[in-house]
Amino acid sequence: MIYLIDDNKKRQQDSGWKDDKLQYYKDFIYPIYRLSELTDNLRNELFKSENNVILFHESFFENIENRQDKDVNDIRNRLDKLTSASSNKYYVIFSGSNSERKLNDNNKSASIPVHILYNNLEVFIQHYQNTKEYDLKYLLFGTNPDIELLLLEELNKSKRLFIEESLNLSSELNNYFFFRSRLDVNPLSVNHATIFNKDSQFGLNKIILESLSKKRYKGIFVPLSFGSSLSDFNGLRLATEVRCTNTINQCTTIFIYSFVGIEYFFQNEYFNILKTKGIKLVDYSKNAFQNAINHKTINVEHKELHKELNKLELAPPKNYLDNHSIANEFGIYQLAYNAGIDINEITDFDKDKLDSLYFKWLVAKNGLYEELPEDAQLENNVFRNEIRLKGPTIVGKIDLTKVPKK
Amino acid sequence: MRILLIDDNSNKGWKQILERVFPIPDLKVDVAINLLEAETKIEDIYDLIFLDVRLDEQDHDIANPTEFTGYRILEKIRNEFLNPNFATPIILITATNKIWNVDVFRNYGVDGYYIKEHPDYIFDKKTSKQNYDNLKRKFIELREVGQKRKEVRKLSKDIIEKILNHSYFKGNNKYENVKNRIIDKLKLGYDNLFNEPNKLEKEVLKTNNEAIAFIIYWSILEEIVKGYSSYLNWELPDYTFSGNWKFRNNEYFIEKGNDKIFVNLSKDINGNWRPKSVELNIENIDIKYLNGKINLSEQVYSLLTAYKKDNEQFKELSREFSIINTFRNKIDFIHSKIRNIYERSLIGKNDSAEQYDFCIKQLKFINKILSLSS
């Protein structure tokens, strides 16, 4: 039995799993919305039986009813044990803040984004119906469970050819920045950063700020794939995040080096980054790299950036409660911007959002990285003095350094 | 200044951002994040309220805006004239993109709105700045208007409370009717005073709300005089004047004798009304004393005469009334002076401010009259 533990029924329904569909698969899937539904019998069945799959939404315990349930600690402890290496039960954690798929080495546990789970759940059940075996690869990768193997073969082939290629790359590459994964060839520039699996989900913002804030580069090379699953094509996300992060290289040309054709990733959420100015898809070869640095590239200009980023149409992450949550957060940011208030002064504001790609995209596509014009800043000062009802009204500035001394 | 922020996201940054956008030294921002908290908080009086449209998760499944939590709270604030925050300006602060939703709220007393910009329909920078500029402008405007509204409402409330506790306006259908008319006129006067005319009304139709409000408040004196008078002065069914005008403290204004009429009010050599009794012959009497069609100002002086504690009190109240009455005679909407008709335009530049001041004076005067006891 597959136990689907998710406190938000609406989320299920919005993902296509309405009551009739759950009813259709009732012999295979058992939805649980509240801790109180886990009777003693059900709990024993869930945790003791070997041939169960537990699909658990990360925010389940944050639901107020579940939080206050008397058995919350017992259930939490039992679930925690499932994550240990010795556990031989199928256990998948899914959440809206998750942006990549990760299948653990034992192939019995995984973590995936919400939409991936609900998109592939039916395929996963159907595979079990046909074979009487659970295979988490179907849950992670849908109808193409062997995609990872295929991509790894292609990547290794490209790497081998790259190394064997006799071309000597120009030292000009040292004026470029290289992002690489641990599966890639050795760094080709003195300016590089390796993205480890632990960074690929939540650490990209930090890596970008550390790597691209100090020196302006002629271009940035980004691998198409890195992280726990090659088929996530995280390079597209990284390129998007570079474009949305406020650094001196925000508009620098990006070369995404790919080891497969676009037919593998044209459905990726971040594919549209390739349609924006200043993003080039190049082959994973020395020849392609050399051509990239030989040709004069035209960077996207800062004033064009918001227009280019509007082409992306990113969907809000699933960990937003609803559209109004986004409007509330963005509304605060927008008001702070117009009023010339530093968002860091708003301590109640969820600062983690500022580092999230979606929020950074919203800010960037609306040009909110630019400083407020001087006349708007002056207006704000005048207004603040007006409503304080005291002090002189500021009408301008005097530069004392230009006043001649006696 | 006390502000109430009614928004389920108050503690996720909105309280703090408003405190910084409006850095008034003594500003205190209270919050209510749901219907229950809002119902408690609105028992206190605030200078301004920011109100969200949807506070409950279930609101997102509702199509009818009058069923939103924000609207239910708005009803509780505005549904009774005596509610503590009836006069408090309200700014809607909302993420809705449906202008008809905002209209529904404006139709029930919301004074302005600020749109929380949603990423799906974000304004360009210029429009976004306009949204912010509107908020600032509205804040300043409503802070001033709010003080006036509170002043008028307080005076009206004092009058209403006096009437509700006044023995003259209880226990009899006719006097209950007088009471209700007074209360309705107070509401009508408040409405006219603070119903902001649109551009068309101001520029083309020459709307002058302050003058109309003053006339309404002025006319309350009719009700008060009749409330203090015995209804038996007029014979049913047509309310024909009986010849006697007696107040309820048994003092006469007009007393009918065999062939004489006694009037307990007359003018001194300066033309001012004084509490002085005069005996008039029926043959050559002014007809008004026979048919009871006395102009309102004289009625009021007669009331002050009948209920005066002493001459000092009479002088003070009649002086106060005389100033208001002089203004009333000047105002073009009751009977215009000939000079006005030939030489003066209908609406002068400074008329509104003066008319507002006289509305206040009138309300204070009504309060004083209602304090006159038998």
Side-chain angles (χ1 to χ4, degrees):
Chain A
M1 183 59 78
I2 299 166
Y3 292 93
L4 176 58
I5 305 176
D6 186 350
D7 63 296
N8 191 332
K9 193 165 184 178
K10 190 173 183 303
R11 175 172 39 230
Q12 272 179 2
Q13 291 172 337
D14 290 346
S15 303
W17 281 84
K18 294 187 174 27
D19 288 341
D20 54 348
K21 194 166 181 176
L22 287 168
Q23 181 62 25
Y24 182 78
Y25 286 111
K26 67 177 171 36
D27 294 331
F28 304 96
I29 188 161
Y30 192 112
I32 295 167
Y33 303 102
R34 294 288 178 268
L35 261 182
S36 52
E37 295 170 48
L38 281 169
T39 58
D40 286 344
N41 283 345
L42 184 58
R43 220 178 292 176
N44 285 337
E45 170 56 36
L46 197 149
F47 287 109
K48 287 191 176 149
S49 173
E50 288 291 315
N51 207 33
N52 284 335
V53 176
I54 297 173
L55 307 176
F56 179 78
H57 192 281
E58 205 176 50
S59 71
F60 184 77
F61 287 122
E62 288 167 33
N63 180 290
I64 193 162
E65 288 179 48
N66 295 332
R67 212 161 52 212
Q68 293 172 346
D69 192 289
K70 60 178 174 46
D71 295 322
V72 62
N73 288 332
D74 174 50
I75 307 295
R76 212 196 275 269
N77 287 339
R78 287 194 183 190
L79 286 169
D80 283 345
K81 281 187 186 146
L82 293 176
T83 59
S84 73
S86 59
S87 168
N88 57 2
K89 308 230 185 335
Y90 293 100
Y91 179 52
V92 174
I93 296 178
F94 62 105
S95 88
S97 59
N98 209 331
S99 53
E100 60 169 26
R101 293 167 280 200
K102 185 178 176 192
L103 182 62
N104 292 339
D105 291 338
N106 60 9
N107 286 334
K108 288 218 169 191
S109 61
S111 66
I112 58 176
V114 160
H115 70 281
I116 297 285
L117 181 126
Y118 282 113
N119 283 352
N120 295 338
L121 187 55
E122 192 161 20
V123 166
F124 178 64
I125 295 171
Q126 286 168 349
H127 174 78
Y128 179 77
Q129 278 177 311
N130 296 334
T131 64
K132 293 293 175 274
E133 280 187 11
Y134 291 117
D135 186 344
L136 289 186
K137 285 209 291 292
Y138 282 86
L139 192 61
L140 268 69
F141 304 113
T143 51
N144 194 357
D146 297 320
I147 183 70
E148 285 298 305
L149 274 174
L150 174 68
L151 289 174
L152 188 60
E153 272 173 31
E154 291 297 319
L155 175 60
N156 285 337
K157 192 163 85 179
S158 293
K159 220 165 83 173
R160 205 168 47 247
L161 289 171
F162 190 98
I163 293 166
E164 286 168 6
E165 223 175 322
S166 58
L167 185 65
N168 281 331
L169 287 169
S170 160
S171 59
E172 179 67 10
L173 276 174
N174 285 324
N175 290 321
Y176 289 72
F177 191 91
F178 271 80
F179 285 108
R180 61 179 290 277
S181 81
R182 56 180 184 81
L183 297 175
D184 278 326
V185 294
N186 288 337
L188 300 171
S189 164
V190 294
N191 305 298
H192 66 270
T194 302
I195 305 172
F196 295 96
N197 285 359
K198 65 174 177 58
D199 300 320
S200 62
Q201 170 122 256
F202 299 116
L204 290 184
N205 183 66
K206 187 164 176 270
I207 289 175
I208 290 168
L209 288 171
E210 281 171 0
S211 305
L212 301 178
S213 296
K214 296 188 187 93
K215 180 181 163 181
R216 199 184 299 274
Y217 296 102
K218 284 188 167 177
I220 300 168
F221 282 82
V222 167
L224 176 68
S225 288
F226 58 83
S228 306
S229 299
L230 295 173
S231 56
D232 282 335
F233 301 112
N234 285 325
L236 299 172
R237 181 160 58 90
L238 174 57
T240 305
E241 190 132 10
V242 170
R243 274 292 177 267
C244 296
T245 307
N246 190 16
T247 69
I248 55 173
N249 285 287
Q250 190 172 10
C251 295
T252 302
T253 300
I254 297 174
F255 302 98
I256 302 176
Y257 53 98
S258 170
F259 56 97
V260 287
I262 65 167
E263 66 274 16
Y264 282 88
F265 51 87
F266 74 91
Q267 286 190 328
N268 186 279
E269 186 183 349
Y270 302 98
F271 179 80
N272 283 350
I273 193 66
L274 294 171
K275 298 178 186 173
T276 64
K277 208 169 162 187
I279 306 283
K280 311 272 180 223
L281 192 66
V282 302
D283 287 337
Y284 196 153
S285 72
K286 283 181 184 163
N287 193 42
F289 282 22
Q290 191 62 55
N291 281 338
I293 62 176
N294 286 347
H295 279 102
K296 185 177 161 59
T297 53
I298 302 170
N299 289 343
V300 63
E301 288 186 34
H302 227 276
K303 60 177 192 266
E304 297 173 301
L305 188 60
H306 70 278
K307 200 173 70 175
E308 292 299 311
L309 290 177
N310 263 304
K311 294 178 186 172
L312 295 183
E313 296 175 6
L314 297 186
K318 299 289 184 220
N319 60 340
Y320 268 113
L321 187 62
D322 53 42
N323 266 348
H324 280 77
S325 304
I326 305 165
N328 271 295
E329 284 176 355
F330 193 74
I332 291 172
Y333 192 95
Q334 179 80 70
L335 182 53
Y337 176 81
N338 281 326
I341 295 165
D342 182 354
I343 192 67
N344 291 307
E345 287 182 39
I346 313 300
T347 53
D348 286 344
F349 184 81
D350 181 2
K351 298 292 186 310
D352 288 343
K353 287 288 186 307
L354 296 176
D355 296 338
S356 74
L357 175 53
Y358 181 73
F359 204 88
K360 286 197 298 186
W361 172 65
L362 291 178
V363 170
K365 81 177 183 109
N366 291 291
L368 300 188
Y369 277 139
E370 293 163 16
E371 223 179 86
L372 207 57
E374 219 175 283
D375 55 343
Q377 290 181 38
L378 196 59
E379 260 180 55
N380 282 331
N381 286 335
V382 167
F383 174 72
R384 285 195 191 98
N385 283 328
E386 193 179 329
I387 61 169
R388 279 189 191 118
L389 295 176
K390 63 181 180 187
T393 303
I394 297 172
V395 295
K397 291 191 292 190
I398 299 172
D399 184 350
L400 289 175
T401 63
K402 296 199 165 95
V403 175
K405 291 181 184 153
K406 279 192 180 173
Chain B
M1 182 178 189
R2 292 189 74 205
I3 291 180
L4 176 62
L5 170 61
I6 305 176
D7 188 328
D8 56 326
N9 286 287
S10 299
N11 294 325
K12 292 184 184 167
W14 281 105
K15 175 178 186 288
Q16 288 180 331
I17 191 85
L18 289 176
E19 285 167 343
R20 280 155 181 77
V21 170
F22 306 113
I24 297 165
D26 61 346
L27 177 69
K28 188 175 180 303
V29 178
D30 284 349
V31 307
I33 64 168
N34 54 42
L35 177 64
L36 201 61
E37 281 184 19
E39 281 174 341
T40 309
K41 285 275 167 30
I42 59 176
E43 290 302 313
D44 255 343
I45 300 177
Y46 289 91
D47 298 300
L48 182 70
I49 294 176
F50 285 101
L51 175 67
D52 192 7
V53 166
R54 293 181 171 101
L55 278 91
D56 195 279
E57 242 182 82
Q58 287 164 353
D59 285 343
H60 298 296
D61 299 325
I62 295 170
N64 184 350
T66 62
E67 292 172 27
F68 293 155
T69 309
Y71 192 86
R72 287 161 64 195
I73 295 170
L74 177 63
E75 279 182 319
K76 287 182 195 296
I77 295 172
R78 293 284 198 245
N79 67 355
E80 290 285 346
F81 189 66
L82 293 183
N83 286 349
N85 286 290
F86 181 86
T88 305
I90 299 177
I91 296 179
L92 205 62
I93 182 166
T94 174
T96 188
N97 65 338
K98 298 178 178 69
I99 197 68
W100 49 90
N101 282 350
V102 175
D103 270 346
V104 164
F105 279 73
R106 294 196 80 177
N107 280 342
Y108 206 74
V110 151
D111 300 286
Y113 60 89
Y114 174 77
I115 302 287
K116 295 176 186 176
E117 295 171 50
H118 190 288
D120 283 349
Y121 47 88
I122 232 134
F123 304 149
D124 58 42
K125 269 190 171 175
K126 196 171 155 189
T127 313
S128 173
K129 187 174 178 301
Q130 270 176 351
N131 187 25
Y132 168 60
D133 287 344
N134 283 346
L135 174 65
K136 288 188 294 183
R137 193 175 49 249
K138 214 63 193 168
F139 180 88
I140 291 180
E141 182 190 300
L142 290 176
R143 192 167 66 157
E144 195 185 309
V145 160
Q147 283 169 357
K148 286 185 172 173
R149 279 169 27 177
K150 276 168 115 171
E151 183 184 29
V152 170
R153 186 194 157 271
K154 179 164 186 328
L155 288 168
S156 305
K157 180 171 174 275
D158 289 345
I159 292 169
I160 292 172
E161 282 173 355
K162 277 203 172 92
I163 291 180
L164 291 175
N165 291 316
H166 203 302
S167 57
Y168 276 4
F169 298 99
K170 289 181 194 181
N172 176 294
N173 284 351
K174 289 184 172 38
Y175 294 118
E176 293 267 358
N177 199 63
V178 172
K179 173 190 76 182
N180 292 337
R181 285 171 63 96
I182 292 172
I183 293 173
D184 285 348
K185 281 188 177 180
L186 287 167
K187 292 179 189 175
L188 204 54
Y190 176 95
D191 174 47
N192 273 276
L193 209 47
F194 298 112
N195 193 2
E196 179 66 26
N198 59 35
K199 197 169 150 68
L200 175 80
E201 286 165 351
K202 270 193 230 180
E203 291 177 11
V204 178
L205 300 177
K206 307 290 183 194
T207 300
N208 185 227
N209 286 344
E210 288 82 4
I212 306 297
F214 174 79
I215 292 165
I216 293 169
Y217 288 142
W218 168 263
S219 75
I220 289 175
L221 294 172
E222 282 277 11
E223 266 82 11
I224 290 179
V225 173
K226 301 309 186 292
Y228 272 60
S229 303
S230 167
Y231 68 85
L232 297 171
N233 296 333
W234 294 273
E235 289 164 357
L236 295 172
D238 296 331
Y239 287 89
T240 317
F241 185 53
S242 64
N244 287 304
W245 190 314
K246 188 168 146 184
F247 287 101
R248 290 167 75 183
N249 62 352
N250 292 321
E251 292 290 330
Y252 277 93
F253 169 29
I254 301 167
E255 192 177 1
K256 189 172 151 191
N258 284 335
D259 53 356
K260 291 199 191 303
I261 303 278
F262 297 93
V263 176
N264 287 321
L265 187 70
S266 54
K267 282 192 175 172
D268 62 19
I269 53 169
N270 295 321
N272 299 319
W273 288 107
R274 288 287 177 259
K276 189 182 169 191
S277 191
V278 61
E279 188 182 312
L280 302 168
N281 284 323
I282 288 177
E283 289 100 32
N284 56 7
I285 197 173
D286 190 329
I287 188 92
K288 67 182 177 182
Y289 296 116
L290 294 176
N291 61 20
K293 289 186 178 18
I294 313 288
N295 68 34
L296 181 53
S297 56
E298 195 174 337
Q299 290 183 47
V300 172
Y301 283 117
S302 73
L303 186 153
L304 294 179
T305 303
Y307 283 88
K308 69 174 170 39
K309 192 171 67 178
D310 51 46
N311 283 338
E312 272 315 304
Q313 189 205 46
F314 176 85
K315 273 187 193 163
E316 189 195 312
L317 287 175
S318 63
R319 195 167 30 236
E320 201 174 318
F321 178 65
S322 166
I323 294 169
I324 298 170
N325 193 31
T326 306
F327 177 77
R328 189 269 304 189
N329 285 332
K330 212 174 70 167
I331 210 167
D332 261 324
F333 298 99
I334 301 181
H335 38 254
S336 307
K337 285 188 167 341
I338 301 215
R339 181 190 291 276
N340 285 2
I341 295 171
Y342 285 113
E343 294 182 13
R344 199 173 174 270
S345 64
L346 192 63
I347 313 288
K349 238 188 337 187
N350 296 320
D351 284 355
S352 289
E354 192 187 22
Q355 286 155 5
Y356 174 81
D357 284 344
F358 272 94
C359 285
I360 299 298
K361 283 184 172 51
Q362 178 67 4
L363 288 171
K364 286 180 178 171
F365 181 71
I366 291 171
N367 257 298
K368 285 185 185 171
I369 288 196
L370 288 172
S371 299
L372 293 172
S373 63
S374 53

